[in-house]
Amino acid sequence: MTGIRLTAPAPGWAIDADVVVVGSGVAGLTTALRCAAAGLDTVVVTKARLDDGSTRWAQGGIAAALGEGDTPEQHLDDTLVAGAGICDEDAVRTLVTEGPDAVRRLIGTGAHFDTTDAGSLALTREGGHHRNRIAHAGGDATGAEISRALVAAVRDAALHTIENALVLDLLTDAEGRTAGVSLHVMGEGQHDGVGAVRAPSVVLATGGMGQVFSATTNPSVSTGDGVALALRAGAEISDLEFVQFHPTVLFLGPGAEGQQPLVSEAVRGEGGHLVDASGTRFMTGQHELAELAPRDIVAKAITRQMELDDAEHMYLDGRHFGAGMWEKRFPTILAACRAHGVDPVTEPIPVAPAAHYASGGIRTDLRGRSTVPGLYACGEVACTGVHGANRLASNSLLEGLVFAERIAADIAATRPVRTVPADAPDGEPVPLLPTEARTALQRIMTRGAGVLRSGESLAAAAAELEALHDGAVPAAGTKAAVPGVETWEATNLMMVARVLVAAARAREETRGCHWREDHPDRDDDHWRAHLMVRVGEDRQLSVHRTETTAFPPVRPEN
């Protein structure tokens, strides 16, 4: 344990449980439902409403070997290729072999996927896949349907839920084992203000950290809270340099910031073409799959073409689909484009890459266990080793499902006893960043650690982040930032940003979605490994490299 914590009031209320799950996407709710079914007293904490996480924004679908002629082995091969040589193969094999049945259980929970006229699942392709294996719902509203089904199941099961609550720090007992979390509930209700859920098993399913960049597909709640909490608790973080920039995000102008509308990869899967301003396709000949190459390759190709043409965006052309197909297959995207003055039926869609998915996060084993006893992680906040250097399209929902079930099984099998949280550690809490620092931080990260990186840009970003961090320490006679949701979020983003930049500076190569202009080649001799980051009691970051692409055990007893 580091003894590091956020500046916050002491908890004014507490409830007890066997398990607390933080997050209400596919990973969190699946874990909670499985834990509750095993007879464990389970509490779900979520930052907004139950259906406000990243899952509901997922358009394309969920990948699994469900179609005729497809096999888990083929799905494994595509995942390993997309991961650019550093996937943990055991984790990928777990994903692809357990995935089909996990999807079937999701359907059994009540999720309705699109079907063919014959009644079988309608499967499509996305980038990096050599088979049609993407199951989708509502055309391009897969995440919304999965979220609906899981929220309904949670409510039917009458699980204890705490909405509008920002998790703050991990509570531990005298032995350093997990004993719950502190949290702040926004607004009045059964619980209000800072409190605690005391539980011997904590599952972080808090989603991503896309808000560390100026433009992202992530919702505003994706501020890296889970990774920051884990870092303060002494957990190991891995692969945080691998941030996937989605190639095709609706371009809203050079100054657009915050959450941007996603134009799903499935549009290219159905035959949409990437073109420049003259209407010329530029992916043909660059990769055997052209527009359906893995995301890092497409994002880089778009970025290169933008530089060549001195353009702010490229175009995605789906005019040949016709109005009927747009309305049936992509109603969400069609509505979003039209809301911003673009009609995909009659004109190409302006697109540019934006921050999308974190392939790295809290390092876990195949049971979802972190390096801190009793602390689990699942979904985008976790790093299972499945994604390697670049996530294969539509593997994220599947990862959430498969590893959620594994976490619930582990907790049900071990059933750790409840213990009493120890007193808060002595020492100065983390200085809180003022609210206005968030925008400055996002611009630093976009400029220095975005799609294109270099040693120079990353060094500049590191220096600017340090200056921003140092500025949060109040000078004599001045007031510190006031504890609250906005300052806590900004502080979490700072912690995540510093780790991301440190890892990106250390990895001197180009691999997957980590693109170093000063090291343009992949270097398997030196960098076919994972980078692990911890925060020590001295609050300094330590970065070390694994020996192989397989993760070492999270704890000695493994």
Side-chain angles (χ1 to χ4, degrees):
M1 298 300 297
T2 66
I4 304 171
R5 66 194 188 282
L6 285 174
T7 301
W13 53 268
I15 58 176
D16 294 295
D18 295 319
V19 185
V20 55
V21 178
V22 186
S24 60
V26 62
L29 295 188
T30 300
T31 305
L33 287 166
R34 297 292 184 268
C35 285
L40 295 161
D41 184 4
T42 304
V43 174
V44 177
V45 174
T46 188
K47 194 171 177 181
R49 298 191 308 264
L50 275 181
D51 61 353
D52 270 348
S54 293
T55 290
R56 76 183 181 97
W57 297 100
Q59 295 174 345
I62 184 166
L66 295 161
E68 185 176 350
D70 197 5
T71 64
E73 200 68 26
Q74 294 176 69
H75 189 183
L76 180 141
D77 289 344
D78 286 345
T79 301
L80 294 179
V81 170
I86 62 165
C87 296
D88 183 317
E89 189 165 338
D90 287 343
V92 178
R93 195 169 296 280
T94 298
L95 178 83
V96 299
T97 54
E98 298 182 11
D101 283 343
V103 173
R104 294 183 185 104
R105 284 188 288 273
L106 177 62
I107 293 170
T109 302
H112 301 295
F113 287 90
D114 297 337
T115 57
T116 65
D117 292 340
S120 59
L121 280 175
L123 302 174
T124 190
R125 283 178 68 197
E126 290 184 359
H129 293 273
H130 284 79
R131 288 277 189 176
N132 285 11
R133 66 169 66 98
I134 315 299
H136 49 85
D140 59 359
T142 309
E145 171 56 19
I146 290 173
S147 181
R148 181 207 61 76
L150 291 174
V151 168
V154 164
R155 288 180 173 148
D156 288 346
L159 264 64
H160 188 161
T161 61
I162 304 175
E163 297 181 283
N164 301 306
L166 173 65
V167 67
L168 299 176
D169 281 308
L170 191 72
L171 303 176
T172 55
D173 63 18
E175 304 300 319
R177 183 183 167 81
T178 293
V181 291
S182 59
L183 63 156
H184 173 77
V185 181
M186 300 165 261
E188 297 180 2
Q190 182 181 359
H191 309 290
D192 190 19
V194 175
V197 180
R198 299 181 297 216
S201 297
V202 171
V203 183
L204 295 178
T206 51
M209 55 183 198
Q211 290 291 326
V212 80
F213 295 98
S214 295
T216 177
T217 62
N218 288 198
S220 60
V221 294
S222 296
T223 51
D225 307 316
V227 169
L229 175 151
L231 281 162
R232 289 192 294 273
E236 201 164 58
I237 308 301
S238 184
D239 297 354
L240 215 62
E241 67 270 32
F242 297 117
V243 176
Q244 186 178 82
F245 286 77
H246 198 289
T248 53
V249 175
L250 181 62
F251 181 74
L252 300 181
E257 295 182 334
Q259 186 179 9
Q260 313 287 302
L262 176 67
V263 182
S264 170
E265 192 140 10
V267 175
R268 284 174 281 134
E270 296 288 357
H273 300 147
L274 285 167
V275 298
D276 60 18
S278 68
T280 303
R281 291 176 67 181
F282 54 86
M283 284 303 301
T284 305
Q286 294 206 36
H287 189 276
E288 59 165 337
L289 296 175
E291 279 91 355
L292 286 178
R295 287 179 177 174
D296 64 307
I297 293 170
V298 179
K300 290 171 186 174
I302 291 174
T303 303
R304 283 195 192 100
Q305 198 65 39
M306 286 162 55
E307 289 184 330
L308 286 171
D309 296 352
D310 192 23
E312 294 176 326
H313 59 83
M314 289 290 110
Y315 294 91
L316 180 57
D317 193 352
R319 288 175 292 179
H320 51 288
F321 291 172
M325 181 174 171
W326 273 108
E327 290 163 2
K328 180 180 180 180
R329 182 67 180 86
F330 301 113
T332 307
I333 297 168
L334 179 64
C337 288
R338 284 178 170 169
H340 291 282
V342 178
D343 188 348
V345 177
T346 60
E347 59 187 315
I349 306 167
V351 293
H356 182 55
Y357 188 87
S359 292
I362 304 164
R363 183 170 80 81
T364 71
D365 63 10
L366 297 185
R367 290 184 272 172
R369 304 185 306 169
S370 78
T371 53
V372 174
L375 178 64
Y376 296 78
C378 191
E380 190 173 354
V381 72
C383 183
T384 61
V386 157
H387 304 305
N390 183 39
R391 177 176 68 95
L392 181 65
S394 289
N395 268 356
S396 54
L397 292 174
L398 190 72
E399 183 191 32
L401 272 184
V402 168
F403 287 91
E405 293 185 343
R406 287 183 146 253
I407 288 171
D410 191 67
I411 296 172
T414 56
R415 294 185 181 265
V417 298
R418 300 180 184 181
T419 58
V420 178
D423 292 336
D426 295 330
E428 286 295 315
V430 176
L432 295 179
L433 258 69
T435 302
E436 59 271 18
R438 177 168 173 164
T439 300
L441 180 150
Q442 290 169 330
R443 290 174 180 170
I444 290 168
M445 291 298 290
T446 298
R447 185 167 59 246
V451 180
L452 294 175
R453 302 167 178 175
S454 68
E456 184 179 355
S457 76
L458 290 165
E464 291 177 74
L465 289 174
E466 287 306 309
L468 199 60
H469 176 266
D470 292 345
V473 180
T478 62
K479 288 186 177 180
V482 178
V485 173
E486 292 181 340
T487 54
W488 286 323
E489 285 184 335
T491 304
N492 284 339
L493 285 170
M494 171 60 79
M495 199 156 202
V496 169
R498 294 171 79 189
V499 173
L500 192 162
V501 169
R505 291 182 77 183
R507 184 174 289 277
E508 295 182 331
E509 66 160 353
T510 289
R511 182 184 298 271
C513 50
H514 172 63
W515 189 3
R516 287 282 298 261
E517 292 181 285
D518 52 340
H519 295 281
D521 299 319
R522 173 169 149 176
D523 182 359
D524 282 350
D525 289 340
H526 298 96
W527 291 106
R528 196 161 181 260
H530 303 278
L531 288 177
M532 311 289 194
V533 184
R534 283 183 188 268
V535 177
E537 293 183 14
D538 59 359
R539 306 196 178 201
Q540 298 302 306
L541 299 179
S542 64
V543 183
H544 69 276
R545 184 167 33 184
T546 61
E547 295 296 323
T548 69
T549 57
F551 280 143
V554 293
R555 293 194 286 279
E557 74 271 18
N558 279 38

